[in-house]
Amino acid sequence: MIKSCYIHIPFCDTICSYCDFCKVYKYDKWIDLYLDNLEKEIKNNPIEFPLETIYIGGGTPSCLSLNQLERLLKTIDNLPKNNKIEYTIEGNFESTTKEKLLLYKKYGINRLSFGLETINTKLLNKINRKVKKEEIREVIEAAKKIGLTNINIDIIYGIPNETVEDVEKDLDFTLSLNPTHISAYSLIFEEHTMFTINKEKPIDEELELEMVKRINSRLKEANYDHYEISNYAKENYQSIHNKTYWKNEEYYAYGLGASSYKDDKREKNSRSISKYLKGIITKETEELTNKDKLNYEIILNLRTKEGISLKKIKDKYNIEFKEKYNIQNLITNHFLEEEKDNIFIPEEKWYISNEIIVKILEGEKDG
Ligand code: SF4
């Protein structure tokens, strides 16, 4: 039974220098046409079971006009939903108005996710974003006032020339907003972004590690649970939608470049906006064998503090994980820990989780 659905709105009012997401400049005529085709895509691929999570991501969904947002939310309103749904919309502070917040509330949205990234003016210029502290505070206050109190804030660290003190200031400000959830992402230099085109240099690895340590300890002090490599939540506010991904459960996805996982297939819509606007959706399909599913399960589960449940792996794949993978050495050297039914990477080793996962997969025994 599929319980989650992702809907992609690729429009942005500015393009950030590091961004490799599926996004395009906002252009009103395109948005209207996009919504026509999104409605068709949803209608042609109906949802069978009541959803427990919906996530409208982007792009910057909040940059749509009030009318365009209402049209989108009306379409989504027709989907089968559970009463206790977690319903999230992403956005930036600049384009979020009181009217849009009221509209979100009217259509049952109960979680907001904002990209703050940094409050340092020089760094904001570097990543091509503009946002003012007062503007941020006003939006957060307005949201809380109308009952939208479940709020995530994204921050980014590791921007070229950023110092640990800059990260501290971003944390001070973010914590002063008292969000229920914080995502802290390290800046990744992706191909074909302005950062790589301009040959910007990534920060030193040791400095980045110092930033990670500072973020972890500050957020822990403020009672945020570090439950996934980049995610921190107050009690009872972990992202249910994102946990669908990390638990390797299936989900629907609609919109430009969106990736779904169902019927043992991962399907990715093409990123061509011109085709999408003509109603042509080409998909890249990855048919998954049991082995592929198990690999995804290991990779995704180990992003979380719970890690892998040995029982779940046994029930789903009929294997004894500790017999199938040669992990004793990793346990002895504290790269993996074992507690009751779970095998997990300890928090202080999350910065090398990719290397640890590769070692686990290489340690697979035959048969
Ligand atoms: S707002 Fe988000 S999706 Fe849009 S360009 Fe910036 S990082 Fe990319």
Side-chain angles (χ1 to χ4, degrees):
M1 194 167 93
I2 304 181
K3 297 176 289 189
S4 293
C5 172
Y6 175 80
I7 295 172
H8 193 72
I9 302 297
F11 302 99
C12 290
D13 23 32
T14 53
I15 301 294
C16 307
S17 325
Y18 57 83
C19 181
D20 181 41
F21 299 138
C22 175
K23 82 291 171 184
V24 287
Y25 271 117
K26 145 183 172 179
Y27 179 47
D28 268 339
K29 275 191 190 153
W30 280 10
I31 298 179
D32 293 328
L33 209 47
Y34 186 85
L35 293 176
D36 290 343
N37 286 296
L38 184 66
E39 279 165 23
K40 278 186 210 148
E41 191 193 351
I42 295 176
K43 204 168 152 209
N44 293 338
N45 300 277
I47 288 174
E48 295 159 63
F49 305 105
L51 293 168
E52 291 179 14
T53 74
I54 296 177
Y55 194 105
I56 309 174
T60 311
S62 62
C63 81
L64 268 56
S65 71
L66 204 58
N67 285 341
Q68 288 161 341
L69 276 169
E70 178 136 37
R71 194 178 153 195
L72 169 70
L73 299 184
K74 264 189 189 155
T75 305
I76 298 174
D77 211 34
N78 292 324
L79 303 178
K81 290 188 226 57
N82 184 303
N83 291 341
K84 288 188 182 155
I85 191 163
E86 178 193 85
Y87 187 178
T88 307
I89 189 161
E90 282 183 350
N92 63 14
F93 294 103
E94 306 90 290
S95 63
T96 300
T97 60
K98 196 170 169 211
E99 291 71 28
K100 289 181 188 175
L101 291 169
L102 286 166
L103 187 76
Y104 296 167
K105 179 91 177 148
K106 175 176 159 193
Y107 282 92
I109 287 175
N110 52 23
R111 187 170 183 273
L112 306 175
S113 180
F114 290 107
L116 182 147
E117 319 314 354
T118 175
I119 45 142
N120 180 302
T121 317
K122 273 193 199 152
L123 298 175
L124 279 170
N125 279 338
K126 201 163 198 78
I127 62 175
N128 196 30
R129 288 178 78 103
K130 283 186 191 70
V131 68
K132 296 197 184 83
K133 281 190 197 173
E134 310 78 62
E135 202 169 36
I136 297 171
R137 285 200 195 283
E138 271 171 30
V139 172
I140 296 286
E141 271 166 33
K144 287 184 180 173
K145 212 167 170 182
I146 62 169
L148 293 171
T149 51
N150 189 3
I151 298 174
N152 168 61
I153 291 186
D154 286 350
I155 54 174
I156 279 193
Y157 59 93
I159 302 168
N161 301 332
E162 189 172 20
T163 64
V164 175
E165 289 67 37
D166 295 328
V167 174
E168 292 274 11
K169 284 183 190 153
D170 286 347
L171 289 169
D172 289 340
F173 182 72
T174 305
L175 289 171
S176 76
L177 303 170
N178 198 21
T180 49
H181 192 283
I182 296 173
S183 302
Y185 298 107
S186 76
L187 190 132
I188 297 180
F189 280 67
E190 303 281 5
E191 261 187 278
H192 312 301
T193 61
M194 284 318 285
F195 266 174
T196 37
I197 292 165
N198 292 339
K199 299 196 169 47
E200 291 280 358
K201 294 259 174 314
I203 62 162
D204 180 82
E205 267 182 33
E206 272 178 33
L207 176 61
E208 188 176 328
L209 184 56
E210 188 51 42
M211 289 175 177
V212 174
K213 284 184 183 162
R214 215 57 86 84
I215 293 168
N216 290 349
S217 71
R218 288 288 309 275
L219 295 187
K220 194 169 283 170
E221 269 166 37
N223 288 325
Y224 287 85
D225 179 24
H226 192 185
Y227 72 105
E228 192 268 349
I229 293 180
S230 311
N231 287 280
Y232 307 78
K234 288 264 178 83
E235 200 177 346
N236 299 324
Y237 286 102
Q238 293 183 2
S239 162
I240 304 169
H241 182 85
N242 287 339
K243 282 172 81 172
T244 307
Y245 304 143
W246 305 321
K247 285 183 189 166
N248 196 31
E249 289 172 358
E250 296 190 321
Y251 48 89
Y252 298 96
Y254 303 96
L256 189 73
S259 302
S260 66
Y261 175 31
K262 56 189 170 68
D263 306 327
D264 293 341
K265 273 190 288 211
R266 287 187 182 267
E267 285 191 323
K268 191 171 168 50
N269 285 353
S270 117
R271 279 183 167 210
S272 164
I273 185 76
S274 55
K275 281 191 185 165
Y276 196 90
L277 296 182
K278 286 183 197 138
I280 305 165
I281 304 175
T282 45
K283 291 178 189 289
E284 250 175 53
T285 302
E286 184 189 4
E287 302 263 1
L288 301 174
T289 61
N290 241 15
K291 172 88 189 307
D292 298 328
K293 285 193 278 178
L294 174 60
N295 284 351
Y296 272 116
E297 188 104 13
I298 294 169
I299 294 165
L300 293 165
N301 289 180
L302 285 173
R303 294 189 60 88
T304 64
K305 76 171 191 182
E306 284 83 17
I308 290 168
S309 153
L310 298 175
K311 181 177 178 315
K312 199 173 131 202
I313 294 277
K314 169 84 180 158
D315 292 346
K316 271 176 98 170
Y317 302 97
N318 196 26
I319 60 157
E320 296 292 344
F321 184 75
K322 285 171 68 187
E323 285 171 19
K324 179 84 178 157
Y325 293 89
N326 195 359
I327 56 168
Q328 193 47 52
N329 221 6
L330 290 166
I331 294 178
T332 311
N333 291 303
H334 307 290
F335 290 107
L336 283 178
E337 279 184 22
E338 191 177 4
E339 211 175 277
K340 295 181 188 155
D341 176 50
N342 293 69
I343 301 271
F344 58 93
I345 300 175
E347 184 193 25
E348 64 279 9
K349 297 286 184 338
W350 275 357
Y351 74 101
I352 49 163
S353 61
N354 287 344
E355 288 84 339
I356 297 173
I357 290 167
V358 168
K359 280 261 177 273
I360 296 171
L361 298 178
E362 282 174 356
E364 183 186 352
K365 296 175 193 166
D366 294 333

